[in-house]
């Protein structure tokens, strides 16, 4: 029988989002906020959130765009329960759904071509090279398991309507692989590097593509996250605190 899960209640977007999440293991930080800020959804559209966890990205998206609908897919049942509870906690329950399932075989409600947009923050560590956490929940969230990056991308492409957008945040070292996987069915590829500090190499990137379109690859100037003193840059604060969007497509 599962032991009771120790929880904390935290906040994102300068208190605009309340978030109940496990006290240990993987905990939402800035990645889901940045991911949600980059999704180019419009009122009335539907967004699939693959690997939704406790719905941190979905809740941030709904705070910025309250007239969209977010449907999350998460492999860990306990996190699905928390995602649903977080929807109620933030008074967006009707606009946020969470389902338990695997990107390799999603539930029937994740049908082909049903979504205007897909966002994802897949596990990013190579199990052959990573120091694997002893915490199971953290390991599932951060280390690639049976579902490969290829599986995540295939699922995302399948769910999208024609000209729908796929947005993901990932490690910069996986960019070549991501672009190769996108190239088969997408165009209008745009890459936004995330610089930890000015002058440092990017550790993460946000990549966006449109299904079934054709346009040259665009490499954007990027977002510097921190000042020299470690505080967030003005541009980062606009996204992380004021819920401003990150515009990747023209």
């Amino acid at each position: 029988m599962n032991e009771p899960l120790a929880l904390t209640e935290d906040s994102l977007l300068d208190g605009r989002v309340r978030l109940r999440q496990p006290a240990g293991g993987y905990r939402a930080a800035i990645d889901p906020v940045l991911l949600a800020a980059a999704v180019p959804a419009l009122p009335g559209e539907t967004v699939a959130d693959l690997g939704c966890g406790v719905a941190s990205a979905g809740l941030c998206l709904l705070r910025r765009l309250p007239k969209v609908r977010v449907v999350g897919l998460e492999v860990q049942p306990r996190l699905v329960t928390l995602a649903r509870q977080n929807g109620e906690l933030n008074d967006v329950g009707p606009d946020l759904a969470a389902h338990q399932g695997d990107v390799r075989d999603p539930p029937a409600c994740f049908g082909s071509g049903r979504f205007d947009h897909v966002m994802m923050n897949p596990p990013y560590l190579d199990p052959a090279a990573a120091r694997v956490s002893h915490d199971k929940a953290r390991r599932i969230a951060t280390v690639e398991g049976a579902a490969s990056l290829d599986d995540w991308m295939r699922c995302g492409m399948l769910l999208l309507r024609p000209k729908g957008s796929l947005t993901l945040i990932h490690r910069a070292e996986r960019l070549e692989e991501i672009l190769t996987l996108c190239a088969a069915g997408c165009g209008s590829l745009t890459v936004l590097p995330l610089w930890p500090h000015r002058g440092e190499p990017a550790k993460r990137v946000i990549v966006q593509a449109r299904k079934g379109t054709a346009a040259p690859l665009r490499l954007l100037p990027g977002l510097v996250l921190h000042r020299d003193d470690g505080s967030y840059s003005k541009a980062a604060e606009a996204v992380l605190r004021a819920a401003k969007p990150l515009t990747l497509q023209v």
Side-chain angles (χ1 to χ4, degrees):
M1 189 172 182
N2 288 334
E3 296 181 2
L5 190 62
L7 302 174
T8 63
E9 184 172 316
D10 305 290
S11 64
L12 300 171
L13 293 179
D14 206 24
R16 291 176 176 84
V17 169
R18 297 168 63 190
L19 194 73
R20 299 182 73 219
Q21 60 181 334
Y26 175 80
R27 290 170 56 78
I30 67 172
D31 282 9
V33 186
L34 294 167
L35 174 64
V39 177
L42 297 173
E45 293 185 329
T46 304
V47 181
D49 182 6
L50 303 185
C52 69
V54 299
S56 48
L59 291 168
C60 289
L61 181 63
L62 286 167
R63 276 293 170 258
R64 180 169 66 87
L65 299 168
K67 294 183 179 180
V68 303
R69 176 166 170 76
V70 177
V71 184
L73 178 66
E74 172 55 48
V75 73
Q76 300 184 69
R78 283 183 165 187
L79 299 190
V80 173
T81 299
L82 281 173
R84 293 169 179 165
Q85 292 174 356
N86 281 330
E88 299 298 329
L89 184 65
N90 288 273
D91 297 320
V92 296
D95 297 318
L96 185 135
H99 301 273
Q100 195 273 328
D102 192 304
V103 294
R104 295 171 298 167
D105 185 23
C109 58
F110 290 86
S112 175
R114 289 190 179 180
F115 293 88
D116 300 290
H117 308 277
V118 172
M119 62 178 176
M120 64 175 81
N121 181 9
Y124 51 85
L125 295 176
D126 181 347
R131 294 180 61 185
V132 178
S133 172
H134 294 296
D135 185 283
K136 182 180 178 181
R138 182 176 181 82
R139 186 169 64 249
I140 292 172
T142 59
V143 181
E144 276 192 25
S148 66
L149 181 56
D150 188 8
D151 292 321
W152 283 78
M153 299 295 286
R154 285 178 184 273
C155 181
M157 300 290 189
L158 179 68
L159 299 182
L160 281 176
R161 297 188 173 111
K163 298 186 179 180
S165 78
L166 173 73
T167 306
L168 72 152
I169 187 168
H170 214 294
R171 295 281 284 260
E173 64 205 45
R174 305 290 296 275
L175 179 58
E176 181 178 4
E177 182 181 358
I178 292 167
L179 294 179
T180 299
L181 292 171
C182 284
C186 284
S188 304
L189 288 163
T190 307
V191 179
L192 177 74
L194 300 171
W195 317 111
H197 295 87
R198 192 173 301 279
E200 292 184 357
K203 293 184 178 180
R204 286 166 293 171
V205 291
I206 297 176
V207 179
Q208 191 169 92
R210 291 274 183 182
K211 183 175 181 178
T213 63
L217 171 69
R218 297 174 65 241
L219 179 62
L220 300 181
L223 175 67
V224 177
L225 296 174
H226 297 98
R227 299 183 177 97
D228 291 341
D229 64 4
S231 63
Y232 287 122
S233 67
K234 184 177 180 180
E237 281 198 336
V239 177
L240 299 174
R241 301 191 189 282
K244 298 298 182 183
L246 286 170
T247 303
L248 273 69
Q249 302 282 346
V250 293

